[in-house]
Amino acid sequence: MSAEHPFLRIELDGRVINTNLVGSYNADNVMAALAVGKQFGVTLDEAVKAIEAYVPSNNRSQMTMTDKNTLIVDAYNANPTSMAAALENFSNVAADCKVALLGDMLELGEESVAEHVTVIKSACSRGLSMVCFVGKEFQKASAEVDSELLAVARFFATSDELAAYLSAEPLAGATILIKGSRGTRMENVIPVL
């Protein structure tokens, strides 16, 4: 993914499908949409036209440009698999300053601390400029991560607390991944970015 082509592109039978979705993990969704369309008699041209016209606006795999930053908003839900995919995709984004704002993954039960430790280690080892974690689960998990790895990390109890921090310490010129479970309300940080 580059600044010239930030969205998922798929080549199919010599044809390039240009989507408005961020994340290579959406390729399966696009292919499923094409298969369903075919099953119901939708031509490939019609299906491609519909896919290329779709612009997400539901805090899922959407890219937003503000006056100051580029936002990759995937704040509708989070689980260990989707968090890993989002971080892997974010690693492939070409940008000078990359920041991840990550909210708790909720309803993980007794595996919660271990899964949050995995995300902290992954996010903090990717060469990002800063990683902000929101929620009690990330705060608990941070106690089990080597402090040297946490040099780029900041922890906040709520997304409102993070928004207040980012108002006082504004980001500019950054590409920012925003991801978390619905309960963390990570979209609350968007107005200050």
Side-chain angles (χ1 to χ4, degrees), residues 32-100:
L34 291 171
V36 169
K38 183 177 180 180
Q39 181 66 30
F40 286 97
V42 176
T43 69
L44 180 60
D45 286 341
E46 292 171 319
V48 168
K49 186 176 178 181
I51 289 166
E52 290 183 339
Y54 174 71
V55 178
S57 60
N58 56 0
N59 292 329
R60 291 180 187 228
S61 302
Q62 71 188 76
M63 180 176 281
T64 304
M65 309 295 260
T66 71
D67 292 338
K68 300 181 285 186
N69 299 294
T70 300
L71 311 181
I72 298 171
V73 183
D74 196 3
Y76 187 80
N77 71 357
N79 59 56
T81 303
S82 70
M83 194 69 85
L87 286 169
E88 181 63 30
N89 185 74
F90 196 48
S91 290
N92 295 324
V93 171
D96 293 331
C97 177
K98 295 195 290 188
V99 175

Side-chain angles (χ1 to χ4, degrees), residues 157-175:
T158 67
S159 57
D160 289 333
E161 188 181 301
L162 172 57
Y165 170 79
L166 293 172
S167 288
E169 300 286 334
L171 293 171
T175 299

